[in-house]
Amino acid sequence: MDGIYAAGCLVAGHWLTEGPSAHRIGPHLRRAVSRARTALPADITTALSYARTSAQAVAALAPATRAEILERAAVRVAERRDDFARLLAVELGKPLKDGRGEMLRVADTFAVAAAEARAIGGETLPVAGWARGVGNTAFTHRAPAGPVVAITPFNAPANLLAHKLAASFAAGNTTIVKPPPQAPAASTELVKLLLEVGMPLEAVQILHGGGDVGAALCAAPEIAVVSFTGSAAAGAAVASAAGPKRTVLELGGNAATIVCEDADIEQAAANCARTGYSNSGQSCISVQRVYVQRGRFDEFVESFTGQVKSLVVGDPLDARTDVGSMVDDDAAERVVRWTAESGGTVTIGGTRDGAVCAPTVVAAPAPDANLVKEEIFGACVAVLPYDTFEDVIQTCNQSRFGLQAGLFTYDVRRILTAWRELEVGGLVVNGSSNFRLDHVPFGGVKDSGIGRESPRWMIEDFTVTKTLLLRGMSIWGEQ
């Protein structure tokens, strides 16, 4: 992308490109790479009115029709993954290999959502099992909940938009998308792709802007469900604005990975190095804290540091690059500052060049350091020793976050103990915290959010159960 991509707002079936706009400065190219037409209050009003009136048209589409559209989208995304990867690299500094990986996940997400659309149904309830139910029949089916607002983050703007929009459409809803200001082009292109393969205009609108746009959408009475991915602080604001509406909040994390004494240290170190710095650590489940049994701590630190040293850092448009730019200079500076304040030993990194933060390892930082307590969301991993398994479980649970954790061990008792006692939404065994399958439930506890993502579980939030009671009609007769 050599010029400036113009990202318009899609409102009531019309693309709006003229009017107020905001430019995105690419963190690697250091110049304007995209321009988003920002939504005006009148645009928001029009979009909400259109969502209310178009909801019935989308709900009337047969599940098979919705599924076929999503299946076509999955094929088209896979075909265009290189184009999207370049767009993500230019807008966000995401390495091409990470961008391609994200787009393959988008294709999978569309395909999974299509399969789930075909499976939406209901059940016949066993009312005759109780005396008052004899002689009656009851059925349920899942109906579209109504207009959905999807507010997406910058770190995986395509895949997380796919999760929200595909699940909402599969459920039969119309959706208003509020993309991140850092990735208007990638978000807009994905919506355009869906329209190209047959998604009706009634099914989607896109409004660019900041928190004021998101707040207005969340508070609107026309909206039935709000799906948001972002920081814990922003999630609290979204929940406050949404009020009693259904909300699905996938918020921040401070992911811990535990390495036990029976672990394969080389494997664990290599895995944590590969997953701790992908997308420059800008993932809610990125490896941030690694707790290693004290007897193997030095061995792990040495191996881990060596693995991190081998990562290729630099131009995100170079196919060989492992670690590109962070989202902006301020984000990279936060990593450098928290590293310097940590009280630990920096074995590698600790510096930045503009928005590129050198992959950083901090050994034995202070337990109350920001990079241990808070979400760093950057290219830095803290490695800390622990003595007993009971101690490390307790230490991990002291975090206010609880999204996902990793565990390296072959001890089944420890695996079951961690699964039971770690205060997280998911546990990855013999892998780091930074692993996700897009067709299994994903979400957290505590300040990491409410609800579960992935199409099947999001469809549950995007639909309502409707019950039909037939009085005096039953194969069981009357009592």
Side-chain angles (χ1 to χ4, degrees):
M1 191 179 79
D2 297 323
I4 297 178
Y5 181 99
C9 288
L10 177 58
V11 179
H14 301 284
W15 286 102
L16 308 178
T17 55
E18 301 299 323
S21 61
H23 286 81
R24 168 62 179 164
I25 305 299
H28 173 70
L29 296 178
R30 317 296 284 183
R31 64 168 175 82
V33 295
S34 57
R35 175 179 60 83
R37 198 281 199 182
T38 52
L40 298 169
D43 301 326
I44 298 173
T45 300
T46 301
L48 290 167
S49 176
Y50 185 74
R52 184 180 63 249
T53 58
S54 64
Q56 187 172 357
V58 183
L61 290 174
T65 301
R66 301 175 212 153
E68 289 164 2
I69 292 169
L70 291 168
E71 287 166 349
R72 291 196 295 269
V75 173
R76 185 71 61 85
V77 164
E79 293 171 345
R80 293 190 52 199
R81 63 185 180 278
D82 289 344
D83 295 336
F84 274 97
R86 180 172 174 79
L87 199 52
L88 292 167
V90 168
E91 275 200 305
L92 296 169
K94 177 176 286 193
L96 288 175
K97 62 176 65 176
D98 286 348
R100 291 190 185 104
E102 179 174 349
M103 297 317 298
L104 290 175
R105 290 179 62 189
V106 170
D108 283 349
T109 298
F110 284 155
V112 171
E116 294 298 338
R118 297 185 188 280
I120 294 174
E123 60 180 318
T124 302
L125 301 178
V127 293
W130 283 262
R132 290 191 65 238
V134 174
N136 303 290
T137 300
F139 303 101
T140 68
H141 85 276
R142 301 199 71 87
V148 172
V149 165
I151 303 177
T152 54
F154 74 80
N155 60 318
N159 191 40
L160 294 179
L161 172 55
H163 272 276
K164 299 178 192 305
L165 182 51
S168 178
F169 180 63
N173 297 309
T174 184
T175 308
I176 301 177
V177 176
K178 210 297 282 183
Q182 302 91 338
S187 306
T188 301
E189 271 301 296
L190 191 60
V191 170
K192 286 184 175 179
L193 182 148
L194 285 161
L195 294 173
E196 289 169 4
V197 299
M199 179 175 280
L201 283 167
E202 292 88 348
V204 61
Q205 301 180 84
I206 183 167
L207 296 177
H208 298 286
D212 57 331
V213 175
L217 292 172
C218 291
E222 294 89 347
I223 298 301
V225 185
V226 175
S227 179
F228 170 84
T229 301
S231 70
V238 164
S240 177
K245 297 182 183 70
R246 288 189 180 199
T247 55
V248 182
L249 305 177
E250 198 272 278
L251 307 180
N254 179 5
T257 292
I258 300 169
V259 180
C260 297
E261 62 266 31
D262 67 325
D264 182 326
I265 293 297
E266 288 294 323
Q267 177 199 2
N271 187 289
C272 289
R274 186 174 63 254
T275 57
Y277 304 92
S278 59
N279 199 22
S280 294
Q282 296 170 125
S283 167
C284 52
I285 52 174
S286 185
V287 181
Q288 180 171 337
R289 299 177 289 158
V290 181
Y291 292 94
V292 185
Q293 205 282 329
R294 191 176 299 275
R296 307 202 70 182
F297 177 77
D298 292 339
E299 178 187 357
F300 179 88
V301 170
E302 180 180 0
S303 179
F304 183 51
T305 302
Q307 293 283 349
V308 173
K309 187 176 182 180
S310 69
L311 296 173
V312 178
V313 183
D315 185 357
L317 292 166
D318 186 332
R320 299 168 298 175
T321 298
D322 298 306
V323 182
S325 306
M326 294 188 64
V327 68
D328 54 38
D329 290 10
D330 289 344
E333 178 58 28
R334 182 187 65 249
V335 174
V336 172
R337 184 176 67 254
W338 283 13
T339 297
E341 298 169 350
S342 69
T345 300
V346 180
T347 66
I348 190 171
T351 62
R352 72 178 178 95
D353 180 7
V356 177
C357 182
T360 300
V361 176
V362 182
D368 61 349
N370 279 328
L371 63 81
V372 177
K373 292 194 310 178
E374 303 299 330
E375 181 178 34
I376 195 166
F377 216 66
C380 179
V381 176
V383 186
L384 304 97
Y386 74 88
D387 292 308
T388 69
F389 195 66
E390 293 74 17
D391 289 341
V392 75
I393 293 291
Q394 184 178 10
T395 298
C396 291
N397 287 342
Q398 289 172 357
S399 174
R400 66 188 179 95
F401 298 103
L403 191 50
Q404 194 154 279
L407 174 65
F408 286 89
T409 185
Y410 295 97
D411 186 330
V412 174
R413 291 170 299 179
R414 284 177 174 157
I415 292 170
L416 295 177
T417 297
W419 190 24
R420 180 179 66 246
E421 297 185 5
L422 281 174
E423 296 170 356
V424 293
L427 175 65
V428 180
V429 176
N430 288 322
S432 78
S433 59
N434 195 4
F435 180 74
R436 177 180 177 182
L437 293 175
D438 292 290
H439 56 285
V440 303
F442 177 80
V445 298
K446 300 192 286 191
D447 280 0
S448 287
I450 300 170
R452 292 294 179 268
E453 290 196 336
S454 296
R456 172 184 162 188
W457 286 267
M458 296 187 81
I459 286 172
E460 291 183 2
D461 285 307
F462 292 161
T463 56
V464 294
T465 299
K466 298 187 73 172
T467 304
L468 175 66
L469 285 169
L470 303 178
R471 294 296 307 275
M473 290 181 278
S474 172
I475 62 171
W476 300 107
E478 297 185 12
Q479 186 173 9

